[in-house]
Amino acid sequence: MVIKYKTHHLLALFHFLLTCAAAAPDDPNPPLRLRQSSKWIVRHRTHDSNPPPSPSYALKFENPRLETAYFALQTWKKTILSDPYNRTVNWVGPDVCNYTGIFCFPAPDNTSIQTVAGIDLNHADIAGQLVDELGLLADLALIHLNTNRFCGTVPKTFKKMKLLYELDLSNNRFAGRFPSAVLDIPGLKYLDIRYNEFEGRIPSRLFDKHLDAIFLNHNRFQSELPANIGSSPASAMVLAGNNFRGCLPPSFKNMSATLREVILMDNGMEACLPAEIGMMTNLTVFDASNNRFVGPIPDSFAELENLEVLNLDHNFLSGEIPEAICSLPKLWNFTASNNFFDGEAPECSGVEAFRDGRNCLRGGRRNQRTRWQCEMFESRRGKVRCEDFKCFETKPCQVPPPPPPPPPVPCQNSTAEGPVDYDVGGDGNYQIQSPPRRMLSRPPVKESKRARRVTVEDARPASLV
């Protein structure tokens, strides 16, 4: 009798619990998770009591490559912290080819299927970071992320993008060492990482790659330029706004067949301008302003028959500005101000945009240095010799210093007396000071990547133009 009573109440209690459970509302926001299958990605609720997902829950894709792209882009979207222009708001569903900023084209190895070939989110002001899963987009040909707020580092998985042709990460907040993953992208031709926070040395492997354009300006790189810089086939190279010191390596002249534009402004380079630059007859833009270059302008510059823009502003150059340079047939913009030139040819006044202020030119010329400044510089100039910087190529009779470096064994006919000392000594010698490093703004970078011609204004902050 007791057993029947307890069984009856237990059955009633169980029936009551089932009734309450059936009446309780479902969780309006149950947790979701992604389960990747060979055909589609199924979204399903984590409640084990729910029935199997109906066909409406299945996200079907045209081909496995678009399925992989969906997985990579959804993973990337989860890391985005801010999207003020709602560029990724429609990144929903399996039709990834209609996502804003995502471009699809027929796959190069199978033109019958579509694949994600490009990402263009320029000027979106998106805050976030890059994820390893982007390396799954093996068919990408271009990535344009100019002017956003992406931070962190470049994932090593980028080296899996065998077809990547253009990589533009400029004007973001990336940091750390040079992104080594880009060195292993075999088809890369256009590299733009300017206006970021990269630091350290520039790997010499960069100049062994077949890049057509290299933009490294306005980062925090600190090193001498690699000796193999002349191995690069680039037509445009912008290295401005870093702390590259030393001189232009002798191999620089090896780029004479390809290099059109080079911008070295606002670094810490200290040497004479190499005469070998005169061999680069295809050069149209040469900007070495805001450095510590000394000595005269080499006469070989008169061979730069295609030169259009020459900027030598804010250096320690001296001597006379040669007539042959001012007579170059295509030269229309020549800045020689803020140096110590004491003479110039009359032909220089015929250059359309010619600036020669803050030099040592006399004869009633306005806006020149004081006589005292010029005399103090002249007293030091006799001690400056270009060979003291040891930027020339090693001759057979010279013995290179072994590491750790003792002093190199000089040739018998060598008369070098050591590097020039610019510091103030106990005898009160005049100190040549470099111009103060200016605060640099972060201007918006031009969006179009089709225009291959680089101007000085592309590398110079808007506040300095």
Side-chain angles (χ1 to χ4, degrees), residues 223-234:
S223 66
E224 295 183 354
L225 293 175
N228 67 329
I229 188 174
S231 301
S232 175

Side-chain angles (χ1 to χ4, degrees), residues 218-239:
H218 297 91
N219 280 279
R220 297 183 178 183
F221 293 119
Q222 296 183 352
S223 66
E224 295 183 354
L225 293 175
N228 67 329
I229 188 174
S231 301
S232 175
S235 62
M237 185 177 295
V238 184
L239 308 176

Side-chain angles (χ1 to χ4, degrees), residues 261-340:
E261 295 148 1
V262 57
I263 300 178
L264 306 170
M265 58 171 282
D266 205 13
N267 278 293
M269 306 188 71
E270 181 180 15
C272 292
L273 292 172
E276 289 80 5
I277 293 179
M279 302 170 58
M280 310 183 74
T281 55
N282 292 317
L283 205 61
T284 61
V285 176
F286 183 78
D287 188 340
S289 60
N290 287 281
N291 282 284
R292 295 174 60 86
F293 287 110
V294 300
I297 301 177
D299 293 336
S300 62
F301 273 44
E303 304 297 325
L304 302 176
E305 57 186 17
N306 290 304
L307 193 65
E308 300 176 13
V309 178
L310 176 61
N311 192 345
L312 304 176
D313 181 54
H314 270 105
N315 280 285
F316 300 104
L317 300 172
S318 57
E320 184 173 349
I321 301 176
E323 171 188 349
I325 295 178
C326 292
S327 300
L328 288 172
K330 297 183 180 180
L331 185 67
W332 66 272
N333 190 328
F334 183 13
T335 303
S337 53
N338 291 287
N339 283 282
F340 291 88

Side-chain angles (χ1 to χ4, degrees), residues 129-197:
Q129 60 184 0
L130 305 182
V131 295
D132 292 339
E133 285 77 5
L134 290 174
L136 298 173
L137 303 176
D139 296 323
L140 275 179
L142 63 89
I143 299 177
H144 290 172
L145 302 179
N146 175 310
T147 312
N148 286 281
R149 288 175 287 150
F150 289 110
C151 61
T153 59
V154 179
K156 294 182 179 180
T157 55
F158 270 42
K159 64 183 179 182
K160 297 181 180 180
M161 300 177 183
K162 305 299 182 182
L163 303 179
L164 192 63
Y165 186 87
E166 295 185 3
L167 178 60
D168 182 358
L169 305 177
S170 61
N171 207 16
N172 279 280
R173 298 175 182 177
F174 293 107
R177 299 292 180 177
F178 183 91
S180 59
V182 306
L183 301 176
D184 297 317
I185 302 176
L188 193 65
K189 295 294 183 183
Y190 183 96
L191 177 63
D192 189 348
I193 60 173
R194 52 184 161 171
Y195 292 102
N196 279 286
E197 304 294 333

Side-chain angles (χ1 to χ4, degrees), residues 319-322 326 341-349 354 356 361 365:
E320 184 173 349
I321 301 176
C326 292
F341 293 115
D342 55 13
E344 68 180 30
E347 288 77 8
C348 294
S349 60
F354 178 65
D356 61 356
L361 303 172
R365 301 294 296 272

